[in-house]
């Protein structure tokens, strides 16, 4: 087992870190305050090849391995948790749906435009009454000549209001449970009946619009079907498995940001005529924060390694995401504690890290659902 980054992986970390320090960190508080989608930063990331990191160059992707992609996403999320979600939903979810399950024509047409960020991607699975319980979805896609008519709605869709390509899940056979779900490519600009109902006012993850979508007799041509009818549930599960590695990366990035800020604050804040970093209580907090972030990072890389080897990684991805998201919230909490009263104000970023970290415990499988998955895998071994 190799624990050292390759020269290429180190270069990627340095390049993304430099971009994040120069362009994202100075804007992070403003993005958090305004909750505006930072289109200019997305364009800059596209120029650096960060909007299609794990996909082959033949589709205008950056052709990076999954470790490098995770490292890139970790760095972006260190700057802004919301920007981390923008990239993760666009790449791990929408991009991967096309890469894994699209035919050649669909990849050429839709994945290529996602990788250059000429198009922005979203993944529309969840509904008001179907979150953890995916097969409970009620959106339908009914055969209509050489296409489908889609009716229903989706909730909590990251990038949903700015997306050009939405990978959508709908029931083509409502009586067949999970086997009746199919996945499609939807194009909001072209498809009449695609309606953005609004966006959520969230605790954190600002800058990434989380949209409610409605489909009102929306007709889409049959060549937008991904794979075969009935494949959708498996498409969703496989895509979310890969996505969980990147939510682990987002969590590690936020944890690192919280640790870095807390460390530098502790070294300059004086009480009792000495920096608070002299107190063992503070030193132990910093030690635990760093240890947890490193452990989470190793779990993330182990899952990425298995994915790259084409081995089963369901349990490992779930564990990486579960552990990284929970320690990110804990680390961010200790970051606030180290800042004392200042940590509870908007004058310091500590409270933003806490709000951003919390989300990772909810989307792409809640911690409870991930524990179910891990236990199931463990008992089946
Ligand atoms: C900011 C944000 C962005 C999101 N982005 C997207 C996106 O881009 N695309 C998308 O499709 N979805 C997205 N989601 C939706 C997200 O994946 C769901 O919110 C999540 O899956 C949980 O579903 P729910 O909210 O309906 O909660 P519920 O499923 O109702 O869960 C409520 C509680 O019950 C627990 N619970 C449910 N079932 C079980 C069980 N079997 N065992 C134990 N406990 C259980 C849960 O863990 C949770 O604590 C996003 C959500 C948020 C908040």
């Amino acid at each position: 087992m190799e624990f050292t980054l390759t020269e290429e992986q180190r270069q990627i970390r340095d390049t993304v870190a430099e971009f994040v320090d120069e362009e994202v960190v100075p804007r992070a508080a403003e993005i958090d305050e305004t909750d505006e989608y930072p289109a200019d930063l997305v364009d800059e990331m596209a120029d650096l090849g960060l909007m299609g990191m794990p996909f082959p160059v033949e589709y205008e992707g950056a052709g990076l391995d999954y470790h490098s992609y995770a490292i890139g996403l970790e760095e972006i999320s260190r700057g802004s948790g919301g920007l981390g979600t923008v990239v993760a939903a666009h790449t791990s979810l929408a991009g991967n749906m096309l890469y894994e399950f699209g035919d050649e024509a669909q990849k050429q047409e839709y994945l290529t435009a996602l990788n250059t960020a000429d198009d922005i991607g979203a993944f529309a699975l969840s509904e008001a009454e179907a979150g953890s319980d995916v097969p409970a979805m009620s959106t339908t896609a009914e055969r209509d000549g050489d296409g489908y008519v889609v009716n229903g709605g989706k909730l909590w869709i990251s990038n949903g209001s700015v997306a050009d390509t939405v990978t959508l899940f709908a029931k083509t056979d409502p009586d067949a449970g999970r086997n009746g779900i199919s996945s499609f490519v939807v194009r909001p600009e072209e498809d009449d009946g695609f309606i953005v109902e609004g966006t959520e006012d969230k605790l954190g993850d600002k800058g990434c619009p989380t949209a409610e979508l409605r489909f009102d007799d929306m007709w889409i041509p049959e060549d937008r079907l991904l794979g075969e009818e009935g494949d959708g549930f498996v498409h969703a599960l496989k895509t979310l498995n890969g996505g969980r590695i990147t939510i682990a990366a987002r969590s590690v990035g936020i944890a690192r940001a919280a640790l870095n800020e807390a460390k530098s604050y502790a070294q300059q804040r004086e009480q009792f005529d000495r920096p608070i970093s002299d107190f063992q209580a503070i030193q132990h907090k910093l030690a635990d924060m760093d240890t947890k972030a490193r452990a989470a990072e190793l779990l993330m890389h182990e899952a990425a390694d298995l994915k790259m080897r084409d081995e089963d990684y369901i349990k490992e991805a779930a564990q990486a995401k579960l552990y990284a998201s929970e320690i990110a919230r804990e680390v961010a909490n200790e970051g606030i504690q180290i800042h004392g009263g200042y940590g509870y104000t908007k004058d310091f970023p500590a409270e933003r890290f806490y709000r951003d970290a919390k989300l990772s415990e909810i989307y792409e499988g809640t911690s409870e659902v991930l524990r179910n998955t891990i236990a199931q895998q463990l008992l089946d071994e």
Side-chain angles (χ1 to χ4, degrees), residues 123 125-126 131-132 156-158 359 362-364 366 368 372:
F123 174 90
L125 178 68
S126 304
S132 304
W156 317 112
I157 308 309
S158 303
L359 173 60
I362 296 173
Y363 62 1
E364 299 201 27
T366 63
E368 293 77 10
N372 293 346

Side-chain angles (χ1 to χ4, degrees), residues 85 89 93 122-134 154-160 169 200 202 204-205 208-211 240 359 361-370 372:
T85 303
L93 301 185
F123 174 90
L125 178 68
S126 304
E127 299 184 2
E129 303 302 330
S132 304
D133 185 8
V134 170
K154 296 285 171 182
L155 202 60
W156 317 112
I157 308 309
S158 303
N159 295 339
F169 296 82
E200 303 295 335
K202 297 172 296 182
D205 198 50
C208 179
T210 309
L240 289 170
L359 173 60
E361 294 181 292
I362 296 173
Y363 62 1
E364 299 201 27
T366 63
S367 292
E368 293 77 10
V369 166
L370 293 182
N372 293 346

Side-chain angles (χ1 to χ4, degrees), residues 45 54 63 77 85 98 100 114 118 137 141 151 161 168-169 184 192 219 231 237 258 261-262 317 335 347 366:
M45 288 196 293
S77 306
T85 303
L98 283 154
E100 294 289 342
L114 287 181
D118 287 326
M137 72 171 61
N151 278 291
S161 56
L168 173 73
F169 296 82
F184 300 89
D192 288 342
W219 190 86
D231 286 352
L237 287 192
E261 284 291 330
D347 295 342
T366 63

Side-chain angles (χ1 to χ4, degrees), residues 261-279 282 286 335-343 348:
E261 284 291 330
K263 184 177 140 201
S264 74
Y265 183 82
Q267 286 173 316
Q268 55 86 22
R269 170 70 172 173
E270 293 198 356
Q271 290 291 275
F272 302 95
D273 296 326
R274 60 176 111 156
I276 60 169
S277 60
D278 278 7
F279 301 128
I282 300 293
L286 293 169
I336 295 177
Q337 196 67 18
I338 289 172
H339 281 73
Y342 295 102
F348 288 84

